Amino acid sequence: MSSPQLQSSLNGTFGNSETSAQARDNAQSEESDYHDLSTIEFGIRIADFMPLAFKTVPVSGLAERELELLRDIHCLPNVIQLQDSFVNDNGDTVLVLPMLKRFDCNAVNESICSVRKVVKQVLTGLAAVHAKNIVHLDINPSNLMVTHTKRDVIIIDFGLSTTVNRKGTNSIPVCGTTGYIAPEILNRQNYGDYDPTGADIYSLGIVLGEMLEPYIPDCDLHYFGSKYLAPENTKTTVSLLNGFISQTSVYPRVLIQAADLLKCMLEENPRERKSAQELLDCHPFFAACPGTEEPKATLKLCEWVCRVQEIKYQRYLCEEREECEVYRYR
């Protein structure tokens, strides 16, 4: 079950508004759906002129659950921080949150360093959230935002999140955004017991694939972020990534590492998928320190696009040469 996004412009007390509708399954009965309609309005705190977002949650049970989760993740890195909450004149709960900028995969992948920074920050946030036995269940570009000052990436919208037992059997509702949902959420009966927080890693892998699409050719990454993408399609991508990773003499090492990270995050079996903390601690893509990287590790997209075309042309010439018949004459 997906959570389609509705957007409209409304004139509210605090300015322009956005409305988002999220469809979710009942955890006990997959046949019943529930639509949580929340409204986001924007304003400024008079005391210090801090830009704020006001999220109105009209359903009391959902509001209480999200409010409790936001309090649990208070002060965690790279996650949205609750500023305040109150009940409006209609009796609806209003969550007061910091105003952030939209996250755009195409705007943050101007270099591999930028991609690394984004993924590292999101994994840092997920590792902290997962350590509290909370799974987000809807990681996608619309639920990632950027701070106005430091341009850090922040995980938002914990409306679908739930507390889980990381070592036991869990009843996770079928929810999320189409194209980003982990295979174990869609077909839980195929996987037995597993750590449910791994679903967030798979979803982040899809986001990483979107950012890496112009860097890693011929791996079908252009489908990532599409509503037509399904777990079955990612199997083909993983196979193609294995072929890409084997070409160490053709592509820069940093791209080989990035492709390997993507493959790890798209692991179909959740029991074999590495956790956020394991990826941060052990994967070589995050090993390089800023300022000590080799020139190729700072690969810029504008330079790499031309290089990709050269590699493809050279490969084409080699293939054509192999298919040509050679005639010898005196």
Side-chain angles (χ1 to χ4, degrees):
M1 175 60 61
S2 64
S3 58
Q5 307 253 335
L6 279 189
Q7 293 186 350
S8 63
S9 68
L10 305 171
N11 290 322
T13 307
F14 304 97
N16 293 332
S17 304
E18 293 178 358
T19 303
S20 64
Q22 293 182 321
R24 69 179 68 198
D25 282 354
N26 186 296
Q28 304 299 325
S29 172
E30 293 183 7
E31 297 178 357
S32 63
D33 295 335
Y34 189 83
H35 294 270
D36 166 28
L37 188 65
S38 60
T39 303
I40 306 292
E41 299 175 300
F42 302 103
I44 296 177
R45 188 162 58 196
I46 297 176
D48 56 3
F49 299 101
M50 177 182 180
L52 296 172
F54 300 82
K55 179 178 181 179
T56 303
V57 186
V59 183
S60 59
L62 295 174
E64 291 172 4
R65 189 166 64 85
E66 185 169 359
L67 186 58
E68 183 180 356
L69 282 169
L70 287 172
R71 286 170 176 163
D72 283 345
I73 63 174
H74 183 64
C75 292
L76 295 186
N78 299 103
V79 297
I80 191 73
Q81 297 295 304
L82 181 70
Q83 303 296 306
D84 198 359
S85 66
F86 61 89
V87 177
N88 64 16
D89 293 339
N90 296 326
D92 298 332
T93 299
V94 180
L95 309 177
V96 183
L97 306 164
M99 187 187 297
L100 302 168
K101 296 174 64 177
R102 289 187 178 277
F103 174 87
D104 183 356
C105 288
N106 295 322
V108 299
N109 67 348
E110 68 270 11
S111 73
I112 284 294
C113 280
S114 299
V115 174
R116 180 192 287 122
K117 176 184 176 182
V118 168
V119 180
K120 187 172 184 177
Q121 289 185 342
V122 179
L123 282 174
T124 299
L126 287 178
V129 170
H130 293 168
K132 287 187 168 287
N133 298 323
I134 297 172
V135 58
H136 187 280
L137 290 176
D138 197 18
I139 296 295
N140 68 78
S142 66
N143 284 336
L144 301 176
M145 299 199 79
V146 182
T147 59
H148 288 265
T149 53
K150 296 183 179 179
R151 300 183 63 83
D152 291 332
V153 181
I154 303 295
I155 304 170
I156 68 165
D157 197 350
F158 285 77
L160 292 179
S161 304
T162 185
T163 303
V164 294
N165 177 3
R166 298 186 66 178
K167 296 182 179 180
T169 303
N170 294 272
S171 179
I172 303 297
V174 181
C175 60
T177 299
T178 303
Y180 297 88
I181 306 174
E184 65 269 23
I185 300 296
L186 296 172
N187 301 291
R188 71 188 72 172
Q189 68 278 2
N190 296 342
Y191 299 98
D193 294 343
Y194 56 86
D195 182 352
T197 61
D200 290 342
I201 305 302
Y202 184 94
S203 299
L204 180 58
I206 302 298
V207 179
L208 174 59
E210 291 182 73
M211 291 189 286
L212 290 178
E213 188 273 329
Y215 288 96
I216 300 179
D218 304 324
C219 288
D220 286 350
L221 294 182
H222 54 284
Y223 291 113
F224 279 44
S226 165
K227 63 181 180 180
Y228 303 107
L229 182 68
E232 293 77 15
N233 307 126
T234 59
K235 292 180 183 178
T236 302
T237 294
V238 169
S239 177
L240 294 171
L241 285 172
N242 284 326
F244 179 89
I245 293 169
S246 67
Q247 302 178 70
T248 54
S249 62
V250 178
Y251 295 103
R253 182 175 61 178
V254 66
L255 283 189
I256 301 297
Q257 293 171 343
D260 184 74
L261 174 64
L262 178 58
K263 185 188 74 168
C264 290
M265 298 175 78
L266 296 179
E267 170 60 51
E268 180 187 6
N269 189 337
R271 291 190 296 274
E272 298 179 9
R273 199 178 304 143
K274 294 184 183 299
S275 69
Q277 195 60 59
E278 287 173 335
L279 291 172
L280 287 170
D281 292 341
C282 303
H283 200 279
F285 186 62
F286 302 114
C289 298
T292 62
E293 298 172 294
E294 58 181 295
K296 289 184 178 180
T298 61
L299 203 60
K300 293 185 177 180
L301 181 58
C302 57
E303 300 169 353
W304 179 244
V305 170
C306 297
R307 178 58 184 150
V308 167
Q309 296 304 317
E310 292 177 6
I311 293 173
K312 286 186 174 182
Y313 182 61
Q314 291 172 1
R315 183 177 299 160
Y316 168 76
L317 291 179
C318 292
E319 291 174 353
E320 285 290 301
R321 191 180 306 159
E322 290 176 359
E323 293 177 1
C324 289
E325 294 184 15
V326 178
Y327 295 93
R328 297 184 180 278
Y329 63 94
R330 294 181 181 178

